Amino acid sequence: MTTDATGAPGAADVTIATGATGCTDAAGDTGTTGRPARGPEDTVRFPDEPVRFPEDVERRLASVRQIADAVLFEGYVLYPYRASAAKNQLRWQFGVLVPPGWAAVSGEPAHQRTELLMEPRPGARLAVELRFLRARRRTVQRATEGGRWTEVPELDLDERVLVPWDEGVEEHVRLLVPVEDLARDDGVTHAFRLPACEEEEQVDEAGVRVGRLLRARESAEAVIRLRTQEVPGPYGALRLTAVVENTSGWTATGADRRDAALPHSLVSAHLLLALDRGTFLSVTDPPRWAAPAVAGCRNEHTWPVLAGEPGRDQVVLSSPIILEDHPRIAPESPGALYDATEIDEILALRTAALTDREKREARGTDDRAGAVIDLADSMPPEVLERLHGAIRALDAVSPPPDPADPLDRFSASPLTGVPDDGVPTYGVPADPAQPWWDPGADRDVDPARDRVLIDGRQIGAGSRVVLGAGGRRTDAQDAFLHGRTALVEAVLHDVDGSVHLAVTVEGDPGADIWRAQGRFRYFQPDEVTPLEES
C-alpha cells in the first residue's frame, strides 16, 4: 500500500534502486535492491538492474554531485580530524532525519519538505536521487590468548591508532517517474528499508593478527512522497512537492541519547531533482509572474537551488544547508577538508603541523580523515600558494572620468575626485587606475586625521574614550570591556557609510603589539563616551 502526504491510499509505478550496502537482513533481502516489506496491494516495480537515468540527465547530475558531496560530508569530521577531539564528540549536524520516536522527545525533524515550481514539457520524466549517509558504528577489539577478543578504547599500531568511531556510509535511492503520474490525487509514493547488518575486519601487523574491527548498521526505513499541482494562470507551471520522511519504528527509552537514534537516521539527507524535458524556476530569484506562487511554496528543513552551469535550469539541489543558485566548488580547493566554513589554507597548514601521534590517530579515526592528513603532507608549495586567496568578481563603482567630455561631472578637475561644485565625493577614487576597494583609493578619507562628533566633542586618533555595551551588536567582548578606557587609534568609514572607531584598551599589556600589527578593537560612536576634550 502506498500513501500520499495526507495519508490517503494510492498506487505508484516507480523504477527505484538504492546504493549497494552488502547487508542482509533476517529474511535474506539484501540492501543492493532496497526491497522493503510490502503487501499484495503494492504496485511498486523493482527492476533487476539498478535504475539508469537518461544519458543527458545523468550527465547533468554528475556535474552537480561534487557540490552534493560537499553537502553530504559537511562537518563529517572536523580539524584536528581525531575522534578524541572535543569538536568531534557531537557530530551529524546537517540534514539529520531521525526516527519519529526520537523526534517526539528531541525536537529534531523526522522529515524534510521541498516545494518549487517547474515547467515540464509533454512526456517529461522527473529523475529523483535521495542521497544520505548511514551511520556505521565501529568498535575495536584486541586479540588475546586463546583466540579471544577484548574490546578496547584504542589499538595502537605503527601507522595508525584505531579507535571506536561512527563511520558514514553513502546511500542513495533513485526514482524515475513520468511527470504526468505526479498529478494524481495521491501522487507517487515509495517506501524503502535498509536492513541491519554486521561486518568484521581483521587487523594484522607484521604478519601477526593483533585485533579486529566490528562494524554494525541498524535498520532504517523511510518514504519518499512526490506530487504536483497546477499553478493558476496561463503559464502551465506546476508546483512540485517532495517529502522525505524517516518512518523507522525505533523508539527511545528513558536512558537513550541521540547516539542511539543516529544509526536509525538519514544523515545529511538531500535531494537531486532533474527533468529530462523542461526546466525549474528559481525559488531565490523567480521571474515576476511566478513570485506569488513561489512565495506560497513551503520548504521545511531544506532549501532548493538551481544547480549546474549558470543559465541551465534542468537540475535542482535541495539541501539542508542554504546555498545560492548555481553553487560551485572553489577551483583553488585541492580536496575535501570536511570542516564547516572551510578556510583551506589555514586548515592545510595546521593539519601539516600536527604531531606524528595526532596524525596516526587521525588516520585510525576514519579513512577520509587519513586522506586529509596525506593531502596536507603532500601538498606542493604552488598548490598551497593558490589557496592564499582569490578575487573573482569586482566591478568599478563608476566609469572613469572623461576629461574630453564637457558634460562629465569630473571634467573640471580630472582625476582629483573633486567635482565642479568643489564638494568632494567620498567613495570615488581619485585615480581611476586604483580600485575602489583599495584603502588608499579615496584621498578625502584619512583614518589618522578624520574626526567624528560625539556628545558635542570632536573625537579622532589620540582621543580617550570610555567603552560601553551598546543597544545592538552587543557580544561577550563588549560586556568584558564595559567601563574600560581606551585610546582611539583611527576613525574608519565602511562602504555602507557607517563609522567605526579603532581603539586599543588602556592598561592592556599587549597594546603596543596590537598597534604595531594594526590589530584593534572596533566600536561605533554610540558605544563610547568621550573622556576628555581633544
Side-chain angles (χ1 to χ4, degrees):
M1 180 70 69
T2 59
T3 60
D4 66 7
T6 62
D13 188 6
V14 184
T15 308
I16 167 277
T18 66
T21 65
C23 298
T24 304
D25 65 9
D29 247 352
T30 66
T32 56
T33 60
R35 301 182 179 182
R38 56 193 188 277
E41 298 182 19
D42 279 324
T43 58
V44 177
R45 176 167 52 87
F46 295 95
D48 294 329
E49 299 294 330
V51 169
R52 295 189 182 277
F53 291 146
E55 184 177 343
D56 57 336
V57 171
E58 180 60 38
R59 185 171 57 252
R60 289 195 292 266
L61 288 176
S63 67
V64 175
R65 287 194 183 106
Q66 186 182 16
I67 297 293
D69 283 344
V71 173
L72 188 66
F73 290 105
E74 177 69 12
Y76 175 76
V77 55
L78 303 178
Y79 173 89
Y81 307 110
R82 305 192 311 273
S84 61
K87 62 171 67 175
N88 286 317
Q89 301 304 302
L90 182 62
R91 301 174 63 214
W92 317 117
Q93 299 301 305
F94 301 101
V96 180
L97 304 183
V98 300
W102 181 250
V105 299
S106 69
E108 289 195 76
H111 80 283
Q112 59 180 214
R113 176 191 183 96
T114 300
E115 280 194 348
L116 72 162
L117 303 190
M118 63 182 186
E119 295 180 298
R121 295 202 292 270
R125 292 176 293 175
L126 177 69
V128 180
E129 184 170 291
L130 170 64
R131 309 171 84 246
F132 58 95
L133 292 177
R134 189 176 172 199
R136 179 170 63 186
R137 190 144 291 167
R138 183 184 75 197
T139 56
V140 181
Q141 293 185 342
R142 183 188 303 277
T144 59
E145 295 181 0
R148 304 191 179 201
W149 306 94
T150 300
E151 187 168 327
V152 293
E154 68 175 34
L155 190 61
D156 197 340
L157 308 177
D158 289 340
E159 298 296 327
R160 53 184 178 156
V161 180
L162 296 172
V163 294
W165 178 252
D166 280 358
E167 302 169 329
V169 179
E170 299 178 49
E171 303 278 4
H172 67 264
V173 178
R174 289 184 168 188
L175 296 87
L176 187 60
V177 189
V179 170
E180 61 183 12
D181 290 355
L182 303 178
R184 303 170 184 168
D185 290 341
D186 52 3
V188 168
T189 300
H190 171 66
F192 63 92
R193 177 178 183 273
L194 301 173
C197 66
E198 293 185 354
E199 302 164 88
E200 177 181 323
E201 177 187 344
Q202 303 292 334
V203 178
D204 296 339
E205 188 170 49
V208 178
R209 181 141 302 162
V210 295
R212 66 178 181 178
L213 303 177
L214 299 181
R215 296 181 171 95
R217 274 174 276 183
E218 302 295 340
S219 63
E221 299 178 29
V223 64
I224 303 173
R225 299 188 179 97
L226 305 166
R227 61 180 301 182
T228 58
Q229 292 177 302
E230 291 186 4
V231 175
Y235 298 99
L238 299 177
R239 175 184 283 111
L240 170 66
T241 301
V243 176
V244 180
E245 183 178 359
N246 189 326
T247 57
S248 300
W250 179 87
T251 56
T253 65
D256 282 329
R257 301 193 307 171
R258 187 173 187 262
D259 284 349
L262 286 174
H264 302 274
S265 302
L266 280 58
V267 177
S268 295
H270 58 277
L271 284 173
L272 288 176
L273 306 170
L275 286 168
D276 62 349
R277 282 182 281 181
T279 58
F280 295 96
L281 300 183
S282 171
V283 174
T284 304
D285 185 22
R288 182 175 299 180
W289 66 264
V294 169
C297 291
R298 184 156 56 98
N299 289 281
E300 299 173 349
H301 314 302
T302 188
W303 183 254
V305 296
L306 301 177
E309 292 297 321
R312 303 285 186 120
D313 302 336
Q314 294 96 353
V315 178
V316 161
L317 168 60
S318 187
S319 160
I321 302 171
I322 295 179
L323 304 170
E324 60 183 357
D325 281 336
H326 304 290
R328 63 192 183 103
I329 299 293
E332 297 83 15
S333 183
L337 297 179
Y338 308 115
D339 209 333
T341 61
E342 290 185 9
I343 306 175
D344 289 16
E345 181 185 23
I346 294 176
L347 284 173
L349 291 171
R350 297 188 67 176
T351 300
L354 293 174
T355 67
D356 289 342
R357 163 74 190 197
E358 290 171 327
K359 291 179 179 180
R360 287 170 52 232
E361 186 181 339
R363 290 189 173 96
T365 292
D366 193 281
D367 289 343
R368 297 183 180 96
V372 173
I373 300 298
D374 294 338
L375 174 66
D377 283 349
S378 61
M379 191 175 297
E382 58 271 19
V383 174
L384 189 61
E385 183 178 355
R386 197 172 69 217
L387 299 182
H388 194 61
I391 297 174
R392 297 190 179 86
L394 283 177
D395 297 323
V397 174
S398 59
D402 182 2
D405 184 356
L407 299 180
D408 194 307
R409 177 169 166 79
F410 292 87
S411 60
S413 304
L415 309 185
T416 65
V418 180
D420 293 339
D421 56 14
V423 179
T425 303
Y426 290 101
V428 179
D431 182 355
Q434 193 169 23
W436 66 269
W437 42 265
D438 189 323
D442 192 341
R443 296 176 183 173
D444 296 299
V445 174
D446 185 346
R449 293 187 297 107
D450 288 347
R451 317 290 284 181
V452 62
L453 189 65
I454 303 177
D455 293 343
R457 300 181 183 181
Q458 292 289 337
I459 301 300
S463 300
R464 298 178 65 235
V465 295
V466 178
L467 306 177
R472 61 192 187 281
R473 306 175 304 276
T474 301
D475 57 20
Q477 175 178 282
D478 297 327
F480 294 149
L481 298 178
H482 184 75
R484 297 289 298 273
T485 59
L487 182 67
V488 177
E489 303 286 349
V491 177
L492 305 172
H493 302 263
D494 64 22
V495 294
D496 296 321
S498 298
V499 178
H500 307 267
L501 301 179
V503 305
T504 51
V505 179
E506 292 183 336
D508 182 352
D512 290 340
I513 297 176
W514 305 138
R515 186 177 296 109
Q517 296 177 346
R519 300 177 63 182
F520 306 112
R521 304 182 188 275
Y522 296 90
F523 288 79
Q524 292 198 341
D526 62 348
E527 296 175 318
V528 304
T529 302
L531 189 60
E532 60 184 17
E533 293 287 346
S534 58

